[in-house]
Amino acid sequence: MSVSSRLPDFPWDHLVRYAEQARQHPDGIVDLSVGTPVDPTPEVVQQALRAGADSPGYPLTIGRPETRQAALDWLERNHGVTGLGLDQVLPVIGSKELIGSMAVHLGIGAGDLIGYPELAYPTYEVGAALAGARSLATDSLTAFGPEVPRLLWLNSPSNPTGRVLPVDHLRKVVEWCRERGTILVSDECYLECAWEAEPVSVLHPDVCGGSAEGILAVHSLSKRSNLAGYRCAFVAGDAALVGELLAVRKNLGLQMPGPQQRAMAAALDDDVHASEQHARYAARRRVLRDALEGAGFRIDHSEASLYLWATHDEDCWDTVAGLAERGILVAPGSFYGAAGNRHVRVAFTATDERIQAAADRLRA
Ligand SMILES: Cc1ncc(COP(=O)(O)O)c(C=O)c1O
């Protein structure tokens, strides 16, 4: 069996005809389906990239100490994560590649079980399939019964629902995993995209008790710093797990390019651009939320992330079709798990002008 045939269906192909329909709108498509950043990469980051342009030698897989220190400083300054050393952080080439290859790189394979949220970013399932492992999409630890997953993914704030897990819940999951020897990996790429909640890192002492044992947290600069094109992310946590990933990634040449490492450090060191971007998204979210609610949608969760998890109390594909007629493209909730089949995921990462166009169309 080919490897690709083991992978889940690539869902975006199913959306193509609705994208074509939305493009027919006389004022053009408003594409709220993907959630790719559209605002400029911050000048301070562009400058750092330019300053690092002379880069003749191979970068080290472990990354520059300054880059790793910037990640640790940011975790401590903005998220209260203390006590991590430089051997507990590793730059990666965007978080998607790490998420997709984590299981394989940690030696998880046939016969093993991997858990991830019931409604989830599809790459957790891809990673399990690539490893040949079994997977279970659930939010309930009891759903595992007597089975012990080798790896459990958390994602708070969540894509697609925007749900934030409270500290108590996170702490229970940490304890459950530690009792069983399950590796806990928390995808925290929306940690700073919060509107009506205060998401907490799994590495915060209130959650992990001040020890990263058995835990990894994955962070990405794509959304916080409009850096999706640079592929800048990192993983932090348990020194032995980071060391294992490093040992494998060294052999595969999975090195973050030197100029990008400098850019990532500059982005992590600067909170000004992040708060400006946060304000932009907050305003867009308000406009879109009001317009969706005015058009009869209910918004569930959505207290953080860059999405509104909206329902019209009908099959998600009917909602996708109805919005495509108005020139608005959204993602059907079923892309993220069967439990999403009556919701759509509406990204608010478009320009102010496109968000306003969507709001006008929803009101018309
Ligand atoms: C939950 C989640 N994790 C990871 C990623 C990947 O981000 P990147 O590869 O840009 O770091 C995304 C992207 O949308 C995401 O939604």
Short mmCIF file of all heavy atoms in Angstrom, two decimals, residues 39-40 226 273 275-285 352:
data_model
loop_
_atom_site.label_atom_id
_atom_site.label_comp_id
_atom_site.label_asym_id
_atom_site.label_seq_id
_atom_site.Cartn_x
_atom_site.Cartn_y
_atom_site.Cartn_z
N ASP A 39 -1.79 40.49 6.56
CA ASP A 39 -1.17 41.78 6.88
C ASP A 39 0.34 41.65 6.74
O ASP A 39 0.88 40.55 6.80
CB ASP A 39 -1.58 42.19 8.30
CG ASP A 39 -3.09 42.29 8.42
OD1 ASP A 39 -3.68 43.09 7.68
OD2 ASP A 39 -3.68 41.51 9.20
N PRO A 40 1.02 42.80 6.57
CA PRO A 40 2.47 42.71 6.30
C PRO A 40 3.25 42.04 7.42
O PRO A 40 2.90 42.16 8.60
CB PRO A 40 2.89 44.18 6.17
CG PRO A 40 1.65 44.95 5.94
CD PRO A 40 0.52 44.18 6.55
N ASN A 226 2.43 37.25 11.65
CA ASN A 226 2.30 37.28 10.18
C ASN A 226 3.54 36.71 9.50
O ASN A 226 4.14 37.33 8.63
CB ASN A 226 2.06 38.72 9.69
CG ASN A 226 0.77 39.28 10.22
OD1 ASN A 226 -0.17 38.54 10.50
ND2 ASN A 226 0.72 40.58 10.40
N HIS A 273 4.48 44.70 17.72
CA HIS A 273 3.77 44.31 16.49
C HIS A 273 2.68 43.30 16.80
O HIS A 273 1.62 43.31 16.18
CB HIS A 273 4.75 43.74 15.45
CG HIS A 273 5.17 42.33 15.74
ND1 HIS A 273 6.26 42.01 16.52
CD2 HIS A 273 4.64 41.15 15.37
CE1 HIS A 273 6.36 40.69 16.61
NE2 HIS A 273 5.39 40.14 15.93
N SER A 275 0.86 43.10 19.52
CA SER A 275 -0.37 43.69 20.06
C SER A 275 -1.09 44.52 19.00
O SER A 275 -2.32 44.58 18.99
CB SER A 275 -0.10 44.47 21.35
OG SER A 275 0.63 45.60 21.07
N GLU A 276 -0.35 45.10 18.05
CA GLU A 276 -1.02 45.81 16.94
C GLU A 276 -1.83 44.82 16.10
O GLU A 276 -2.97 45.07 15.72
CB GLU A 276 0.01 46.51 16.05
CG GLU A 276 0.60 47.75 16.70
CD GLU A 276 1.83 48.30 15.97
OE1 GLU A 276 2.23 47.72 14.92
OE2 GLU A 276 2.40 49.28 16.47
N GLN A 277 -1.23 43.68 15.83
CA GLN A 277 -1.93 42.66 15.03
C GLN A 277 -3.14 42.12 15.79
O GLN A 277 -4.20 41.89 15.21
CB GLN A 277 -0.95 41.53 14.67
CG GLN A 277 -1.52 40.52 13.69
CD GLN A 277 -1.95 41.16 12.36
OE1 GLN A 277 -1.28 42.05 11.84
NE2 GLN A 277 -3.08 40.74 11.83
N HIS A 278 -2.97 41.95 17.09
CA HIS A 278 -4.07 41.48 17.93
C HIS A 278 -5.26 42.44 17.81
O HIS A 278 -6.41 42.01 17.68
CB HIS A 278 -3.57 41.38 19.37
CG HIS A 278 -4.52 40.74 20.32
ND1 HIS A 278 -5.53 41.43 20.93
CD2 HIS A 278 -4.64 39.45 20.74
CE1 HIS A 278 -6.23 40.60 21.70
NE2 HIS A 278 -5.71 39.39 21.60
N ALA A 279 -4.97 43.74 17.85
CA ALA A 279 -6.06 44.73 17.77
C ALA A 279 -6.75 44.67 16.41
O ALA A 279 -7.97 44.80 16.31
CB ALA A 279 -5.49 46.13 18.02
N ARG A 280 -5.97 44.45 15.35
CA ARG A 280 -6.57 44.33 14.01
C ARG A 280 -7.55 43.15 13.96
O ARG A 280 -8.67 43.27 13.51
CB ARG A 280 -5.46 44.04 12.98
CG ARG A 280 -4.96 45.26 12.26
CD ARG A 280 -3.85 44.88 11.27
NE ARG A 280 -2.80 45.86 11.42
CZ ARG A 280 -1.52 45.61 11.65
NH1 ARG A 280 -1.07 44.37 11.69
NH2 ARG A 280 -0.67 46.58 11.79
N TYR A 281 -7.09 42.02 14.47
CA TYR A 281 -7.95 40.83 14.44
C TYR A 281 -9.18 41.02 15.34
O TYR A 281 -10.28 40.57 15.00
CB TYR A 281 -7.18 39.59 14.88
CG TYR A 281 -6.25 39.03 13.81
CD1 TYR A 281 -4.99 38.56 14.13
CD2 TYR A 281 -6.67 38.94 12.48
CE1 TYR A 281 -4.14 38.02 13.17
CE2 TYR A 281 -5.83 38.41 11.51
CZ TYR A 281 -4.56 37.96 11.86
OH TYR A 281 -3.73 37.42 10.90
N ALA A 282 -8.98 41.67 16.48
CA ALA A 282 -10.12 41.87 17.40
C ALA A 282 -11.21 42.66 16.70
O ALA A 282 -12.40 42.35 16.82
CB ALA A 282 -9.65 42.56 18.67
N ALA A 283 -10.81 43.70 15.95
CA ALA A 283 -11.80 44.54 15.26
C ALA A 283 -12.50 43.73 14.16
O ALA A 283 -13.73 43.80 14.02
CB ALA A 283 -11.11 45.77 14.67
N ARG A 284 -11.75 42.98 13.41
CA ARG A 284 -12.35 42.17 12.33
C ARG A 284 -13.31 41.13 12.91
O ARG A 284 -14.38 40.86 12.36
CB ARG A 284 -11.25 41.48 11.52
CG ARG A 284 -10.46 42.45 10.70
CD ARG A 284 -9.24 41.79 10.09
NE ARG A 284 -8.40 42.81 9.50
CZ ARG A 284 -7.12 42.64 9.19
NH1 ARG A 284 -6.53 41.48 9.41
NH2 ARG A 284 -6.44 43.62 8.65
N ARG A 285 -12.89 40.54 14.00
CA ARG A 285 -13.72 39.51 14.64
C ARG A 285 -15.06 40.10 15.06
O ARG A 285 -16.11 39.49 14.88
CB ARG A 285 -12.96 38.97 15.86
CG ARG A 285 -13.69 37.93 16.66
CD ARG A 285 -12.81 37.47 17.82
NE ARG A 285 -13.48 36.45 18.61
CZ ARG A 285 -14.30 36.72 19.60
NH1 ARG A 285 -14.57 37.97 19.94
NH2 ARG A 285 -14.86 35.72 20.28
N ASP A 352 -9.38 44.26 6.23
CA ASP A 352 -10.53 45.01 6.75
C ASP A 352 -11.59 45.16 5.66
O ASP A 352 -12.79 45.01 5.92
CB ASP A 352 -10.10 46.42 7.21
CG ASP A 352 -9.20 46.37 8.43
OD1 ASP A 352 -9.12 45.30 9.08
OD2 ASP A 352 -8.56 47.41 8.72
#
